[in-house]
Amino acid sequence: MNRILIAEDEERIASFVQKGLRANGFTTVVAEDGDLALGQALTGGFDLMVLDIGLPGRDGFTVLRELREARVTLPVIVLTARDSVRDTVAGLEGGADDWMTKPFRFEELLARVRLRQRTAARAPEVTMLRSGTLALDLRTRRARAEDRTVDLTAREFVLLEMFLRHPGQVLSREQILSHVWGYDFDPGSNIVDVYVRALRRKLGAERLETVRGMGYRLP
C-alpha cells in the first residue's frame, strides 16, 4: 500500500499531509474537490484515500457513497472538522474504514495509514478493546460497561480508546491533549479534566484513576 489519494480542498492541510506521507515513503496525489476525488478513486490506481467531508462539488459523504455503490473497496480514512456522533456514525456506516477529526497530529494519521497497510497484508485487525468489564467497539464506536451500552461523542471515543490501548499507564494531560485534540490545542486548557469527568459519569467513577500531579490512568 504505497499510493495514497488525498481528497482535501484546504491547501495548507493537503500540503501538510502530502509532505508527511511522502517523507515516510508513500506516493501521493491531491484532489481538490469531490468530483476529481471520485474520478481518481474509480481508476483503481490507489491503495488508500484520505477523505475530507467538506469538499466542493461532491461532498465527502457523496464520494464515499458512490464509491461503495460502485463496489470499490478502496480503504478510506475520513479526515474532517466534523466531530458529532451523527456524522461519525454516518461516515462509518457509509463505508469509511476510519474517522479522524481536525485538528490532528500527523503521527496519528500515519499510524492509522499503517494500520490499513497491515490490514491489507491480512494482519489481524483489532475491532474490540477490553479491560475487565469495560469494552470499546472500534467499529460502532460504542462502549459497554458491565451490561450497559454507552454512546460516546467523537472526542470521548478517542480519549477512551487511548486509555484502553495503554492500560495501567499514567497518561499526562499533555499527552492526552496532543493525541485527542491535536498539535495546535491550547495546553493551558482544562478540557482534559472536563472529558475525564464526562467519561466517569458515563462509565463509572472507578474506571479512571487520578494520579495527582501526573495525570490519569485506567486501572
Side-chain angles (χ1 to χ4, degrees), residues 188-206:
S189 171
N190 71 338
I191 195 69
V192 171
D193 310 277
V194 171
Y195 272 78
V196 167
R197 286 198 297 270
L199 281 180
R200 282 172 170 164
R201 284 195 299 270
K202 290 185 175 184
L203 304 174
E206 74 285 356

Side-chain angles (χ1 to χ4, degrees), residues 47-145:
D47 301 299
L48 181 142
M49 177 162 62
V50 177
L51 175 66
D52 180 33
I53 292 299
L55 293 171
R58 288 177 171 85
D59 67 11
F61 285 125
T62 303
V63 171
L64 186 59
R65 186 184 71 250
E66 293 190 21
L67 278 179
R68 297 315 185 218
E69 287 176 351
R71 301 189 182 279
V72 174
T73 59
L74 177 72
V76 175
I77 298 175
V78 172
L79 184 62
T80 178
R82 301 188 188 188
D83 63 355
S84 73
V85 174
R86 176 179 295 181
D87 285 331
T88 304
V89 170
L92 293 172
E93 291 186 347
D97 297 274
D98 208 341
W99 183 282
M100 287 184 63
T101 55
K102 302 172 184 176
F104 65 98
R105 289 189 64 86
F106 176 76
E107 291 82 356
E108 182 183 356
L109 175 61
L110 180 61
R112 293 179 186 238
V113 168
R114 285 176 171 163
L115 174 62
R116 293 301 125 200
Q117 279 186 301
R118 293 195 296 272
T119 302
R122 298 190 177 181
E125 180 183 357
V126 175
T127 59
M128 186 77 71
L129 299 176
R130 299 180 185 276
S131 178
T133 57
L134 178 62
L136 181 65
D137 189 320
L138 300 182
R139 292 190 180 276
T140 65
R141 299 201 163 208
R142 288 181 174 177
R144 287 192 65 83

Side-chain angles (χ1 to χ4, degrees), residues 129 136 156-167 169 171-172 174-180 218:
L129 299 176
L136 181 65
E156 288 169 351
F157 169 82
V158 176
L159 179 58
L160 182 57
E161 180 185 5
M162 185 180 186
F163 280 118
L164 283 167
R165 289 190 185 277
H166 301 87
Q169 179 180 333
L171 301 176
S172 69
E174 291 75 16
Q175 286 176 300
I176 296 171
L177 279 170
S178 175
H179 179 81
V180 179
L218 180 71

